[in-house]
Amino acid sequence: MGLDQLPHIPSAYAAPTESSAEDTSFTIEGLLASIADGFREKGVAYAAGAPVELVNNAPRLLNLLPGEQGFGPISQHPVGGIDDMDWALRLGGAVPNYEPRNAAERIANRIGGELGATAVPLAAGLGRVAGQTTAQINRAAAAPSSVGQGLVAQFTQPLAVNPAGALAREGAYATAAGTGAGVATEMFGDGPVADTLGSIAGTGALATGSAASQALWNLGAAAVGAPKFRGGAVDEAVADHLMNNSAQLAAQQSATGGSVDTQSLVDALRREAPVETAVPGYRANIADRTGDTGLATLAYNVDANTPGAAIMRRNANDAAVGDVIAGMTPQGNPARVRTDLQTSVDNRIAEALGLQEAAQRQFDDASQAVAPTLPTAEARGSGIRAALADAYAGAQDDVRQKYAALDGDGTLVNPQGLVERSTVTDANLAPNDAKRFRPVEAATIQEMRPGDQAPFRETGLVNEFNRPIMAENPPVDQTVPLSDIMATRSGLTDDVRAARAAGQNQAARIGGQYVDDIDAYLEQALTPELQQQFSDARTARRDVADRFERPGTANAEALRTREGGAYAMDDSAVGPRYAQPDKGRLSDLKSLLAEAGTDPRAREGLADTVLADVEARGLINKPEALTKYLGERQVLLGEFPELRQKLEAAGAASGELSTATRAAQDTEKRLTAPGRSPEASYLKYSEDRVLDSVRTVTNAADPREATRQLVASAGSPTAVQDLRTALWEEVKNRGQLSSPNATGGQRWNGRVLRDLFEDPKFSAVAQELWADDPEDLANIKEVFSALAGAEGSSRAKAVNTSGTGQAVTGKYDPSLTTASVASRARSVNRGHLSPIIAGIDLVGTWLRRKSAQVQSRAVDQITSEVINNPGLAADLLERYNPATQGAYTRMLTQKWGVRAPTLLQLLDGLENEDPTLEALQRDSDSLEVTIRPGDNRRSDGKRWDPDTGTWVD
């Protein structure tokens, strides 16, 4: 081996050299510095560089063979070895080494080295655990795919299932091993044998002491009956009890053929139940956390027998639930929304009544405008007839003037032709007609006959011969005034008109024959000029007759008189005779309008007749009927456009009044009659009956629309919040339990509350009221739904049973009965036992029985706690998980206190016959220096001179 190959394996556990001055002063700073130095240099650096050093020093194993000596390391300075690691940990030499000054610091330095060496593999194990789940590691440990994977899983499984416990255990045993090794080297000198045996003694002492202290603690706790008595047996018994009652694990065991892994149950126990997420501060039991039916039944039975823990948990949960519900409770004022609704209803009714009053005033004005001016039908008919009579009289005057012009100059005519015609007419009359219907004018015509006068006439005197004296008659006048004939004609036409008006058609026909005779005579007797005048006069007369005298017409009827001069038609019938609809006798209306249409009396009479008819029919109050009425009188009202406008306005006003009246009535009825509107139903109840008011909304045919209508009617910014508060009265009424809990606190029924918000009608109201904040409503439903699923164990009692737990279970088991004491006393009296032996026997018996009794009570107590503390249950099931139970006590790096640094020291202590290397080793070990990696220089600047075999500047 060449001198350039430097050994870099300083003794890990070197004692002070003989030249070192022992400093016996004790300081905390020195101990801490010793521990830190050992942790770095003899711990982390050694453990981290151990793989490289073990490979590098493997040739030294050959020195163990018989006759073989002088084998050294592969390299005096392996890259990545202990020196490199220590140099890096000292930040390139910036951190100086600390040399322990006394035995205490050396022991502390040894403990630090042990802790540092332990930390490296544990850190590696934790790093590997971080990339895998516990379930994966457990599966690898239970069924490894290879030997390497199995070893890795066995090492990492304790760190995965219980990292804190594994680190604490490894730290404790590392401290014990370091303490034992440090004490041994101080007592027996530096060397691997003392160090190894010391570390083994230290870990063994810790294991023995731990077991003994636990046993003493259990014994003492059992002796005094401590309520907190705990032990591995108790915890394991409780864990087994949980596993034996779990339906999930039973199904798992059945599926896997016997193997059980409680990890899934542990995860469920550590995962918050929905109610815990929804209700801060709520503590679920194991049944709610896992949803395991078997554990639910176990929880029910345990809570029935030992309800203390359950009662405390439930009381706390009731308070948490109360706090959450109090936070969700709307902060509105139901009385305020009722006041707002009442005000809105009153205002709407008042508004509707105001509209009705306005419509009434408008209608009254329109009705006044269409009231008849002439109050009676007689007055209206008299006015129409007067206007018509005046028109008739004017027409007759015109005819008379025309006829008067014919004889204005005293014209004489020979009536012979007229007499002859009249004679023929007389001769043609039937005897009855001649007696009944021959007009008196016929005799007048006959009297116009010129006489056949004798030439002479008797004078009444006689002559001497007694013979009458005859005198010559004057010549006979053969003419008559034309006026006489015209007067006769006028009389005949009056008779004819009267007969026709009276319905005496035969008299009128016969009278007309004589009129025709006169007209035929005049056509021949008159000169051409007079004939034209006569034709005009006769035309005018026919026109008048057609206009005013034609039988059956309204004009003729209105103007016809009866004997005595009075009118045959009553005045009250005149107006209706002319005010005809479009489908009536419009000729009568038109004739009146033609003859007297401009006469105010006729127009007023017609208009008032229509208005009176409308009034009599009550059409002003019947807009639709009025519209129909007006439509049926287009011709009449076409002559009176202003009348149509007034009637249409009155009809419109009537319609508006009817609409306003109906609206007011409907509004008042709808807003005041319960059942007609949400407002009326809600306001049916007083302020102190909010719950009844709310139920009118939730029981409505359309609850959502009813709610929307109430909010709109209230019209205030607080209406929604106030109605929410009112609705919450139903929540409190339905959800609050009548009986308080053990501390007097309020209890809530989650299932009832969940069902309430799932009710379609109640939910519709809630959705409408929380439409602007659906997240708040969703949170409320989430809380109530979570509460509904909570305390599932309370529903796990057997079917058809009361569920009452059996309190008396035969638990009377005294630790030492009177019979036992009496038996020992008799043995002492008989000399079979000494008093001391009897006393020891009694104490031993009492301790055994007391321990069993306390342990049994501890199992019951812890079971009760576990049922109501899922975290504790998870800890026990995780600790005693059949799949990982061995990992809780498995040693990783400290088993027997044997580590890689110890092996390195053993290799370093093997025989080496190279004097140069031995000198170099001794020199290096005696100096507080380190050798820089990669060269042959020390940290103090000196280098190794192979020629002289010494360190030189």
Side-chain angles (χ1 to χ4, degrees), residues 11-13 34-51 81-82 85-86 89 108-121 174 894 899-902 904:
S11 178
Y13 315 108
S34 298
I35 293 174
D37 185 82
F39 186 89
R40 170 187 55 76
E41 179 184 4
K42 301 181 179 61
V44 176
Y46 263 79
I82 295 174
M85 293 299 174
D86 183 63
L89 291 172
N109 186 266
R110 180 65 180 87
I111 294 173
E114 196 71 30
L115 291 173
T118 302
V120 173
Q894 295 298 333
R899 301 182 299 108
T902 302
L904 290 177

Side-chain angles (χ1 to χ4, degrees), residues 597-621:
T598 59
D599 193 311
R601 295 171 296 175
R603 294 187 66 81
E604 185 178 15
L606 279 176
D608 280 359
T609 299
V610 173
L611 295 177
D613 189 27
V614 169
E615 184 179 56
R617 295 170 182 254
L619 298 181
I620 296 300
N621 297 317

